[in-house]
Amino acid sequence: MILKFISGMKKDEVIAKVNEFLVEEFELDAKLLVADAKLRDDLDIESLDFVDIAVEIEKEFGFKIKGEEMVEVMTLDNLYDYILSKSS
């Protein structure tokens, strides 16, 4: 895996923060949190859950999520890359 550096964060650090939140808040099994996991289909994350995710991202990474941009986020890897792209 190639690690990206955005605002001093590497991709593996973003992954760790996001996965920790998902395990704690949604009681997901950490083994399910693989890059190609589909948020809705594989992890059963519903529309209202995205509000909690958006709040946590804003708190942890310091930017607000635009709803129209999140429509394209389908997998965990999409979410990690979205955070990295906005954290710069």
Side-chain angles (χ1 to χ4, degrees):
M1 167 172 56
I2 297 173
L3 299 177
K4 298 179 181 179
F5 291 87
I6 305 292
S7 295
M9 291 196 80
K10 295 184 248 178
K11 188 169 183 176
D12 63 340
E13 294 171 316
V14 170
I15 291 169
K17 283 183 177 276
V18 170
N19 288 3
E20 179 181 346
F21 170 74
L22 293 174
V23 168
E24 289 177 7
E25 294 298 318
F26 296 102
E27 299 178 356
L28 294 174
D29 183 344
K31 293 176 187 173
L32 297 175
L33 303 179
V34 295
D36 62 349
K38 294 181 179 148
L39 298 174
R40 287 189 168 95
D41 297 336
D42 298 332
L43 303 179
D44 294 324
I45 293 177
E46 300 173 1
S47 296
L48 290 177
D49 296 329
F50 282 100
V51 173
D52 294 330
I53 292 171
V55 168
E56 184 64 21
I57 289 171
E58 181 178 344
K59 184 175 88 176
E60 287 291 327
F61 300 102
F63 66 90
K64 291 190 181 218
I65 293 179
K66 296 179 181 177
E68 62 271 11
E69 294 175 341
M70 278 301 286
V71 172
E72 297 179 20
V73 176
M74 305 299 270
T75 66
L76 274 177
D77 201 46
N78 294 153
L79 181 60
Y80 305 144
D81 289 340
Y82 174 80
I83 292 169
L84 285 168
S85 73
K86 294 296 182 180
S87 295
S88 58

